[in-house]
């Protein structure tokens, strides 16, 4: 039988490969191990999907905020031009 430390590191290595594109030579050999593997893979899918969703949401919010600022600036410019506001007053 292999030492306890080796088994622990093999388990840790396997769990890391479930969240990354890395490979691992340890494969499930019975129904319990297969079930555990499926659960871990599904959990990894949910965590990764949530991470991507949060990043996408943050980028979308940042773009919308920028669009809103640009729209307000354009409205101010338009107002200044239409109402022929002086350059000095318009720069305040």
């Amino acid at each position: 039988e292999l030492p306890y430390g080796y088994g622990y590191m093999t388990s840790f290595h396997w769990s890391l490969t479930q969240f990354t594109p890395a490979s691992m030579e340890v494969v499930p050999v019975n129904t319990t191990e297969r079930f555990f593997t499926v659960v871990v893979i599904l959990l990894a899918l949910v965590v990764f999907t949530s991470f991507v969703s949060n990043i996408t949401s943050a980028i979308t919010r940042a773009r919308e905020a920028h669009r809103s600022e640009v729209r307000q600036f354009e409205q101010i410019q338009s107002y200044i031009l239409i109402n022929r506001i002086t350059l000095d007053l318009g720069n305040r």
Side-chain angles (χ1 to χ4, degrees), residues 4-57:
Y4 179 75
Y6 181 81
Y8 178 77
M9 288 308 295
T10 302
S11 298
F12 183 63
H13 183 199
W14 177 85
S15 67
L16 290 176
T17 62
Q18 300 308 303
F19 290 94
T20 64
S23 63
M24 181 66 182
E25 71 277 355
V26 176
V27 294
V29 293
N30 59 39
T31 304
T32 305
E33 291 176 357
R34 178 78 56 193
F35 177 76
F36 181 75
T37 301
V38 169
V39 169
V40 170
I41 290 171
L42 289 174
L43 178 64
L45 178 67
V46 168
V47 169
F48 180 73
T49 303
S50 176
F51 177 70
V52 171
S53 173
N54 286 335
I55 290 175
T56 302
S57 178

Side-chain angles (χ1 to χ4, degrees), residues 53-69:
S53 173
N54 286 335
I55 290 175
T56 302
S57 178
I59 290 171
T60 302
R61 283 192 310 268
R63 285 182 177 173
E64 185 57 38
H66 178 68
R67 250 185 260 138
S68 178
E69 287 178 18

